[in-house]
């Protein structure tokens, strides 16, 4: 499989950078997990801090309620305890109303100076408060039990705390405190330092008592599930009521049935994930940048010139004149290669020119040689023809046979050199000419030669001449007896491309005294082989393969 230079470069960069990429990926994943865990811990801590701040505010209000309830229990009449309550409320931020019920039926109550106009509504809210929730454990100290309830008045949600203090006679004095959560000193605490956070304080019925933060004016930020169903202490990702996903954390307010839910948008998580992707993709980006840089460098300083070398080599292979690039901007090493390549091509072209000149000279000598051979054979044939005129009997017959043999050679050269260049000659025309010449020279009374040639092939002279001599020697032997005979010379092309030459007669046995050694030598020179005799009158059958 062919591997390009760019592919090898990429594989090399991968081998070098892959271990570093694995370590960076592990480090990126570890960093991502650590950052995500720290983010979740910080979100949980925001909710827990808010719950602790509410707890501190409730403890402060609880101390005030315990003090005022104790004062009411020891007061002489309602007027005394009302005066005490009225003087204490301005120093209790967040407390808007207080009331104490003594066992003797005396009720002490007071409202904050700025809320005196709302006092009837506040005290009526105390009458309707539902304290059926189990008592808290330690939200308000020095009390036998603490209960909480929430109530709505004039569109504002209030928190109501209730305690009971026993005297020496085991009689209870009940104290109740109305807290405006919006005015608590600590409240839910600042959320500006944690962007995208919204905090809410809930009662046991999942009713929001206090909302603070980015989305406090909208209820869509709350989780779609019941807030109280969240698991305390863990930050979880849930769908909000508006369909957007957020992170939520729940924290219980110690000593009460209240709890705080903190909601956070997903921007920090997305920022952490983007940082993780940046760390993870950094090795890939580095490898890509290196590959692009090195690929450009290789294309500019290597491939451009090697492609020129390859183009020159292809042009030379296609017999075009071409040279490898040799420019000043080439790297020195490749320029030396180009110069060596051009020098090699110039030496090769010089050798080819010399070889071409020698080949043309040899072709001229060969052509001249064949012309002289043809002329010499024609001269020999002419001399034999002149010599037979004055001869009779056996001498004339010998000269006629010699003339037939020389004519077979002369005819082959005449056909091969018909256009002045030595080339392949048609086999059918050659054998027809040889058979016709023998018929002219040697046929006697009652003797005839028929030609049925359909070979349809050309052959070179070194195969034609032995075929012609085979035909001459066979026909001379058949005609030498002087008896009447009909000879048939036939040839045909088989379906597989082979050629078959057959010599037959109507009188078998005439060629029994033929010199088979001479025929076998000529058959071997013609690159032929014996073909099985198909009919009783067939004297000789040869199978030849066409010239390649």
């Amino acid at each position: 499989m062919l591997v390009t230079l760019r592919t090898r470069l990429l594989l090399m960069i991968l081998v070098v950078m892959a271990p570093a990429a694995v370590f960076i990926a592990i480090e990126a994943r570890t960093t991502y997990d650590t950052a995500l865990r720290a983010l979740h811990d910080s979100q949980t801590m925001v909710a827990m801090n808010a719950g602790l701040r509410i707890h501190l505010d409730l403890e402060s209000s609880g101390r005030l309620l315990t003090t005022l309830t104790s004062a009411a229990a020891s007061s002489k009449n309602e007027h005394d305890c009302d005066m005490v309550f009225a003087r204490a409320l301005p120093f209790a931020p967040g407390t808007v109303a207080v009331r104490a019920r003594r066992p003797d039926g005396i009720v002490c109550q007071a409202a904050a100076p700025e809320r005196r106009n709302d006092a009837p509504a506040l005290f009526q809210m105390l009458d309707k408060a539902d304290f059926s929730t189990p008592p808290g454990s330690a939200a308000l100290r020095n009390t036998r039990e603490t209960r909480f309830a929430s109530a709505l008045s004039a569109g504002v949600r209030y928190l109501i705390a209730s305690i009971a203090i026993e005297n020496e006679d085991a009689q209870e004095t009940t104290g109740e405190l109305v807290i405006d959560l919006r005015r608590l000193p600590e409240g839910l605490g600042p959320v500006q330092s944690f962007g995208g956070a919204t905090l809410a304080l809930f009662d046991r019925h999942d009713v929001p008592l206090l909302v603070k933060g980015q989305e406090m004016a909208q209820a869509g930020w709350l989780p779609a599930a019941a807030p109280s169903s969240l698991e305390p202490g863990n930050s979880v990702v849930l769908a909000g009521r508006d369909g957007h996903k957020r992170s939520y954390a729940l924290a219980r307010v110690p000593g009460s049935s209240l709890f705080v839910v903190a909601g956070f948008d997903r921007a920090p998580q997305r920022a952490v994930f983007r940082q993780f992707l940046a760390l993870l993709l950094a090795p890939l980006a580095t490898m890509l940048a290196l590959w692009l840089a090195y690929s450009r460098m290789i294309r500019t300083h290597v491939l451009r010139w090697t492609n020129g070398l390859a183009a020159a080599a292809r042009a030379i292979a296609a017999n075009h004149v071409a040279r490898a690039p040799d420019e000043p901007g080439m790297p020195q090493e490749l320029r030396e290669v180009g110069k060596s390549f051009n020098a090699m091509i110039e030496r090769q072209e010089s050798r080819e020119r010399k070889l071409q000149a020698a080949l043309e000279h040899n072709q001229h000598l060969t052509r001249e040689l064949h012309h002289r051979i043809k002329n010499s054979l024609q001269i020999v044939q002419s001399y034999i023809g002149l010599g037979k005129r004055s001869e009779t009997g056996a001498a004339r017959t010998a000269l006629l046979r010699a003339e037939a043999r020389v004519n077979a050679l002369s005819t082959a050269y005449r056909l091969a050199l018909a256009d002045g260049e030595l080339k392949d000659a048609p086999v059918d025309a050659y054998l027809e000419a040889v058979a016709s010449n023998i018929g002219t020279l040697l046929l006697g009374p009652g003797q005839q030669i028929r030609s049925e040639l359909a070979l349809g092939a050309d052959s070179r002279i070194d195969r034609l001449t032995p075929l012609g001599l085979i035909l001459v020697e066979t026909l001379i032997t058949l005609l030498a007896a002087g008896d009447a005979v009909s000879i048939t010379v036939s040839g045909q092309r088989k379906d597989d491309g082979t050629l078959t030459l057959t010599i037959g007669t109507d009188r078998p046995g005439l060629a029994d005294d033929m010199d088979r050694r001479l025929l076998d030598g000529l058959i071997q020179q013609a690159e032929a082989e014996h073909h099985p005799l198909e009919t009783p009158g067939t004297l000789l059958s040869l199978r030849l393969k066409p010239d390649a």
Side-chain angles (χ1 to χ4, degrees), residues 129-366:
D130 179 15
F131 293 105
S132 60
T133 180
S137 59
L140 304 179
R141 296 179 181 177
N142 303 322
T143 61
R144 188 170 61 81
E145 64 180 21
T146 306
R147 296 178 184 272
F148 294 96
S150 63
L152 182 65
S153 177
V156 179
R157 191 59 78 164
Y158 295 93
L159 180 65
I160 303 173
S162 174
I163 63 171
I165 298 177
E166 292 184 356
N167 58 17
E168 296 177 357
D169 298 331
Q171 293 179 333
E172 291 184 351
T173 299
T174 302
E176 297 167 339
L177 195 69
V178 180
I179 304 172
D180 188 348
L181 297 172
R182 299 171 299 171
R183 299 183 180 182
L184 290 177
E186 296 289 340
L188 295 174
V191 294
Q192 291 81 3
S193 60
F194 206 97
T198 304
L199 302 176
L201 177 66
F202 289 85
D203 65 6
R204 68 183 187 280
H205 300 298
D206 289 334
V207 176
L209 306 179
L210 178 63
V211 180
K212 188 175 184 179
Q214 184 183 27
E215 300 181 87
M216 57 184 297
Q218 304 174 4
W221 73 273
L222 293 173
S228 58
S229 64
L230 302 180
E231 183 180 354
N234 291 323
S235 176
V236 293
V237 178
L238 298 173
R241 296 180 183 178
D242 57 1
H244 298 294
K245 285 191 174 182
R246 294 177 178 82
S247 296
Y248 295 97
L250 182 143
R252 300 286 181 184
V253 176
S256 70
S257 59
L258 307 178
F259 59 91
V260 175
V261 173
F264 308 89
D265 61 26
R266 300 284 294 166
Q269 283 87 341
R270 288 192 291 269
V272 172
F273 184 71
R274 286 194 294 270
Q275 181 183 13
F276 166 70
L277 287 181
L279 290 175
L280 186 63
L281 297 178
L284 298 178
T286 302
M287 285 189 288
L288 180 61
L290 287 175
W291 181 70
L292 291 176
Y294 281 113
S295 296
R296 180 177 178 81
M297 182 182 68
I298 289 174
R299 183 174 64 253
T300 303
H301 300 291
V302 179
L303 295 180
R304 174 186 173 186
W305 310 113
T306 56
N307 290 338
L309 287 170
R314 288 192 295 269
I316 292 171
N319 296 323
H320 298 300
V321 178
R323 291 292 183 271
D326 181 11
E327 301 178 12
M330 292 179 64
Q332 183 62 31
E333 297 82 356
L334 293 179
R335 192 174 185 184
E336 292 296 330
V337 172
K339 289 181 178 179
S340 301
F341 181 85
N342 291 336
M344 179 184 66
I345 295 303
E346 290 172 358
R347 289 193 298 270
Q348 179 181 350
E349 290 177 349
S350 176
R351 289 195 299 270
E352 288 179 353
R353 286 193 295 270
K354 293 178 180 178
L355 289 174
Q356 185 65 29
L359 178 61
E360 291 176 356
H361 181 66
N362 290 338
Q363 288 176 344
H364 174 74
L365 293 178
T366 303

Side-chain angles (χ1 to χ4, degrees), residues 383-393 395-396 399:
Y383 271 109
I384 294 175
L386 291 174
K388 73 180 180 181
R389 293 179 181 178
S390 58
E391 298 292 337
T392 59
R396 180 179 175 81
L399 289 174

